[in-house]
Amino acid sequence: MEWLDALILGIVQGLTEYLPVSSSGHLEIFKEILGVDLPADENLQFNVVVHAATVCSTIVVLWPMFRDLCRSFFTFRMDSNFFYVCKILLSCIPVAIVGFCFKDDVERIFSDGLTIVGICLLVTAALLLFAHLSMLREKRAAAQTLSLRPASAGRDISWLDALVIGVAQAVAVLPGLSRSGTTIATGIILGDKREKVASFSFLMVIIPVLGEMLLDVKDMVSPDYQGQTSLACLVVGFAASFIVGCAACAWMLNIVRKGKLWWFAVYCVAMGVVCLLWQ
C-alpha cells in the first residue's frame, strides 16, 4: 500500500462511517478501484487504525454529551444519563453475539466480492426510503390534526427500541449494509426523535468498535502475525479518517435533523447497481 492509497481509504472510511452509505462497502469498492489487494494481516492492521480514528471523531464531536454520560455512569448517579448508557449497553448485546459466534462467517462474506456489497446497498436504500416515508406520514398526521409540535417530534428511545436498534446494528455487519443508515432508519421507523436517534447511533458503535479492535489487536500480537504496513501509511490513514470523520459526524447530525435521508437512498441505489454491474 502506498501513502496515497492510505489517504484515499482513510478519507473514505471517515466519510462513510457516519453517512448512511456503508463504510465497509465503500472500502471494498475503493480497494477494487485502486487495485489495493492487502494481505489479511496488513488489512487487519489498517482497519484497526482507521476505525480507531472514527471512534475518536465521535468522541470529539459529541464530547459534551459523551462526558456527561461517562460522569453519570461511572459515578452511579442513577439519572437519565446513567440509564441512557444502560440502553447503549443493551443495544450492543446483539452485535456482540454476532462478533463472538459468527466472526469467521462474516469475514468470509467480506471476501465474496462486490455482489453482496451491491445487494446490501440496495437494502440500505430501501430502509432509508421507508424512514423517509415514515417522516412524511408523521408530518401529514400533524398537519391534519393542526398539531403545533415540530416535524422532528417523536418519543425518546425506549428499552425495547434500544434492543431493536441493536439488532439492526448486528445485521449491518454485512458489507454494503450501512450501520448508521440501518440504525438511524430503524429508530425513525419506530417513531423515535430523529436527533436523538442519530446521537444514539453514533455513540452505540463505540463499544462494538473498541471490542473488535481489541480482538484484532490480540491477533496482531500473535506469533503468526506478519503485517508490515508502513508507519507513514498508518499515520496518513488515521489522520485522514479522523479529520474527515469529525466533519462527517457533525454533517450527518444536521442532515438527520432536517430529514434529508432520501438523498442517500438515491445514492445507494446508484452505487448498488454499479457494484452489481462491475462484478
Side-chain angles (χ1 to χ4, degrees), residues 223-264:
D224 298 330
Y225 178 74
Q226 298 179 349
Q228 297 179 347
T229 305
S230 70
L231 179 60
C233 288
L234 295 178
V235 171
V236 168
F238 181 92
S241 185
F242 173 74
I243 295 171
V244 175
C246 287
C249 183
W251 184 32
M252 186 59 190
L253 290 170
N254 187 49
I255 288 173
V256 174
R257 278 193 291 266
K258 293 181 178 179
K260 302 296 184 181
L261 292 178
W262 69 270
W263 296 349
F264 297 101

Side-chain angles (χ1 to χ4, degrees), residues 28-39:
E28 295 303 312
I29 292 171
F30 275 85
K31 285 177 183 177
E32 187 80 17
I33 293 173
L34 296 172
V36 175
D37 187 14
L38 295 176

Side-chain angles (χ1 to χ4, degrees), residues 63-79 81-82 85:
W63 173 247
M65 185 178 184
F66 181 80
R67 178 198 59 212
D68 293 341
L69 291 174
C70 289
R71 183 180 298 157
S72 291
F73 183 74
F74 289 111
T75 57
F76 298 98
R77 290 188 179 180
M78 299 300 173
D79 56 8
N81 284 334
F82 176 88
V85 176

Side-chain angles (χ1 to χ4, degrees), residues 9-18 54 240-242 244-246 248-249:
L9 293 177
I11 291 172
V12 170
Q13 167 64 26
L15 183 63
T16 58
E17 177 65 28
Y18 300 99
T54 50
S241 185
F242 173 74
V244 175
C246 287
C249 183

Side-chain angles (χ1 to χ4, degrees), residues 64-131:
M65 185 178 184
F66 181 80
R67 178 198 59 212
D68 293 341
L69 291 174
C70 289
R71 183 180 298 157
S72 291
F73 183 74
F74 289 111
T75 57
F76 298 98
R77 290 188 179 180
M78 299 300 173
D79 56 8
S80 60
N81 284 334
F82 176 88
F83 291 109
Y84 188 93
V85 176
C86 291
K87 290 176 184 178
I88 289 177
L89 294 175
L90 175 64
S91 74
C92 294
I93 293 176
V95 76
I97 294 173
V98 171
F100 283 112
C101 301
F102 304 103
K103 187 173 187 292
D104 293 338
D105 296 320
V106 172
E107 289 177 349
R108 278 195 293 271
I109 293 174
F110 272 79
S111 63
D112 287 343
L114 295 183
T115 300
I116 186 67
V117 173
I119 293 172
C120 287
L121 280 170
L122 296 178
V123 174
T124 298
L127 285 171
L128 294 174
L129 182 59
F130 287 144

